[in-house]
Structure formats: C-alpha cells, structure tokens
C-alpha cells in the first residue's frame, strides 16, 4: 500500500464526506469544520504561507515510487570504515609534540654551535713566541714555519687577533709579532 493511501486512511475520520461528482483521488488536505455545508465552488482553498517564497504555489509533496509504478530498490550500503589502530590521547599528542620540539631544538643548537666553531676541535695554544718579520715574509709563511702540524688559516687568524692587525697584509719587515704555539 502506498504512503499516500496510508495517509488517506489515517486522516479518514477527520475528513468530510466527498461529493459524488469528484474523481477518486487521495485526499490529503483537511477541510475545516463548518456549521453549514459550503459548496466547493465558493470556498477558496487556503494555502500555507512560506516565508521568502515569491510565488503562491504550493510546496511540492513527496510521493512513494509505488504511486509512480516503481518499486523501491535497496540502496547500496557503504562499507564501514575501520578505526585506525593507533589512537593518541591528548596527553600522548602533547608528549609527541614535546619530544619532537626537543629533538628539533637540540639539532638546531648543535648545528649552531658547530657553525660558530665552539664544538670544532681547534688547536690549543699553550704559549706565544716573539718573531721578527723578515723581508718578503707573510703571515701564512710564518704560521707554516711556527706550527707545521696545524691549519695555517687558523694560525693566521689567531696571529692577527693577538697583534691587533686589521688585515694579514698590515705587516712590515722588521716588525716583531707574537706568534701562538700549539701545544
């Protein structure tokens, strides 16, 4: 039995009797009770007011497929999504975030210290010796002669710092420089 027919049967006691000249269609509208029987031609049908509607048409009512000659087909069911095996609580997420920040932060600190030279093992200077600059001699050659096992670039930089030279070319023959010796 269709939904329209079921609704008609449910509303049957509330309806007034149908006139004999009308077609047998399911009656879903209710007729207001009246003291005298009004004729269907003189009584206008009351339409519901829908806010925002620009036309005076009635709202569309749904009907079942059986009224149209169609039978209901079962709908395709969606497969159930299985929950993931790992579920983190709020405390677990906070712990994971803190651990990530700790690892990332320590990597940044180690990399920063490595770039600035704090973690690089450099030569350890034990004492300084005075050296007089000969004609044609450079800081590079002095660094290679005094510290043959160390990197000359590091020694040149240390000589310039110790003697307050603005550049390695600021030396003159006969000048006495303090040269650090790695020990």
């Amino acid at each position: 039995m269709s939904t329209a027919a079921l609704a008609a049967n449910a509303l049957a006691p509330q309806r007034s009797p149908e006139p004999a000249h009308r077609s047998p269609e399911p009656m879903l509208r209710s007729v207001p009770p009246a003291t005298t029987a009004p004729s269907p031609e003189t009584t206008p049908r009351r339409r519901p007011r829908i806010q925002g509607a620009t036309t005076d048409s009635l709202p569309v009512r749904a009907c079942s497929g059986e009224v149209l000659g169609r039978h209901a087909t079962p709908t395709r069911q969606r497969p159930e999504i299985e929950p993931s095996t790992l579920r983190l609580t709020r405390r677990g997420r906070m712990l994971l975030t803190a651990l990530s920040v700790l690892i990332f932060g320590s990597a940044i600190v180690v990399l920063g210290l490595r770039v600035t030279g704090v973690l690089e093992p450099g030569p350890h200077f034990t004492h300084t010796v005075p050296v007089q600059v000969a004609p044609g001699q450079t800081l590079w050659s002095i660094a290679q002669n005094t510290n043959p096992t160390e990197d000359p670039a590091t020694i040149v930089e240390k000589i310039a710092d110790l003697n307050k030279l603005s550049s390695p070319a600021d030396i003159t023959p006969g000048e006495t420089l303090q040269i650090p010796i790695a020990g």
Side-chain angles (χ1 to χ4, degrees):
M1 186 177 250
S2 70
T3 357
L6 288 174
N9 288 343
L11 295 174
Q14 298 173 357
R15 276 195 259 155
S16 62
E18 293 292 321
H21 68 277
R22 297 194 85 188
S23 64
E25 64 180 45
M27 297 300 282
L28 295 178
R29 62 179 187 256
S30 62
V31 178
T35 55
T36 62
S39 66
E41 295 83 38
T42 60
T43 308
R45 189 168 139 190
R46 299 184 85 198
R47 294 184 180 184
R49 296 277 185 208
I50 300 173
Q51 290 181 347
T54 57
T55 63
D56 289 336
S57 63
L58 287 175
V60 177
R61 288 187 245 161
C63 61
S64 68
E66 294 172 0
V67 173
L68 300 174
R70 300 179 190 151
H71 297 289
T73 58
T75 59
R76 188 172 62 190
Q77 294 181 356
R78 295 181 180 168
E80 291 185 21
I81 300 173
E82 295 181 17
S84 63
T85 57
L86 178 64
R87 300 196 100 186
L88 289 177
T89 61
R90 183 172 184 224
R91 184 186 304 169
R93 284 191 302 270
M94 288 180 9
L95 179 66
L96 189 62
T97 303
L99 187 64
S100 306
V101 167
L102 182 68
I103 290 172
F104 184 69
S106 63
I108 294 290
V109 167
V110 167
L111 188 64
L113 291 176
R114 181 112 178 143
V115 166
T116 59
V118 174
L119 292 182
E120 290 184 12
H124 181 66
F125 300 106
T126 57
H127 62 283
T128 60
V129 293
V131 173
Q132 189 174 15
V133 179
Q137 209 172 22
T138 61
L139 284 182
W140 192 269
S141 63
I142 294 172
Q144 285 179 332
N145 291 338
T146 56
N147 293 298
T149 59
E150 301 298 329
D151 181 25
T154 308
I155 304 299
V156 167
E157 191 176 316
K158 188 69 173 171
I159 292 171
D161 287 343
L162 222 94
N163 295 293
K164 296 183 174 97
L165 300 173
S166 59
S167 73
D170 285 348
I171 60 170
T172 56
E175 184 181 359
T176 303
L177 298 174
Q178 293 295 322
I179 309 298
I181 303 296

